[in-house]
Amino acid sequence: MRLIFYVLLSAVLYFQVQFSAFSIEQKQPDLVVYTEDYKPFYFRGDNGEPAGSVTELVRTLADRTGIRIEIHLRPFRRGLNAVNTNKNHCFMALWRTAAREPDFNWVGPLQIDGFAFFALEESEISLSKMEDSFPYATGAVGGWTSTLAARKAGHPNLVLVDDDALNLNMLKQGRTQLWLGGLLSAPYVAGEQGVSIKNVLTVEKVDLSLACNPATDTSLTDRLQVTLDSYTIKGGNAAPGQSEEQFRSPSLSIPGQRQHAEQ
């Protein structure tokens, strides 16, 4: 009887281990995607899960290609570090610049974006080139392409933060006079807070793309790219509720905020 008991127990344990291994295997994502708070493209939704127009686009692409993804919202530098050190990890999304091009396996563009200097509506600051911003305390996110570009140009008065929303707070409080932010994101965030800002200098327009660790399985990123290309070519929305023309043209209509001509 004791022998039968041990045989049965061993069989039960064996099948438990096999079932657990099968369950873990089934739940493993093909791609782990890190993102940050960058409205309206990606941010933490009311239910605590990542949301936003680009987030939904990437989920749609993954669903259509049968690729399992797992999305985590983290501070920019923390998420980017995870992507840089792990294959099959991607960041949603990065500005695709010439300097970054060889460092990642790309899927995009997911959105046309860029960066600009912003000031409060009542500010009399006028800029015609980046160097004109040097005398002013300028809020910027550490590690962003825009921040690196300003540093490379020699900007002596950058005030660095980890969360772009803090730049709006500093601008309102007078701790900074300029905000170096996303061409579309900064006006969107300001509009949500009822703060009127203006674009005093557009520095660059650039693609937002999914940036994956270079060791990532290219069959995954290739499938996503083909699906994205087909999605936009056939007239599908680049993001829910967004037309192809809106996708290609970096502009947002923000209720209660006057649009400013780019300089």
Side-chain angles (χ1 to χ4, degrees), residues 233-254:
I233 289 172
K234 290 181 180 179
N237 291 337
Q242 183 182 49
S243 68
E244 176 71 4
E245 181 180 357
Q246 290 171 321
F247 166 68
R248 295 297 177 187
S249 177
S251 62
L252 274 182
S253 177
I254 300 169

Side-chain angles (χ1 to χ4, degrees), residues 91-189:
F91 196 88
M92 181 182 72
L94 289 183
W95 287 326
R96 188 171 182 174
T97 63
R100 278 178 169 164
E101 184 68 29
D103 297 332
F104 299 95
N105 189 356
W106 298 91
V107 177
L110 303 173
Q111 172 70 50
I112 306 301
D113 192 23
F115 53 98
F117 288 96
F118 296 90
L120 292 175
E121 177 73 45
E122 62 271 19
S123 172
E124 296 182 357
I125 293 175
S126 177
L127 308 179
S128 60
K129 57 184 182 300
M130 182 180 288
E131 288 75 12
D132 294 339
S133 70
F134 288 3
Y136 305 104
T138 302
V141 177
W144 277 16
T145 296
S146 51
T147 306
L148 298 176
R151 273 187 159 175
K152 185 176 181 180
H155 201 306
N157 289 309
L158 294 176
V159 182
L160 301 185
V161 297
D162 288 324
D163 183 352
D164 196 35
L166 296 176
N167 284 319
L168 178 61
N169 293 334
M170 292 193 299
L171 195 65
K172 287 193 301 183
Q173 295 166 5
R175 293 175 57 194
T176 56
Q177 291 78 53
L178 292 173
W179 174 7
L180 181 56
L183 188 58
L184 303 183
S185 180
Y188 186 92
V189 171

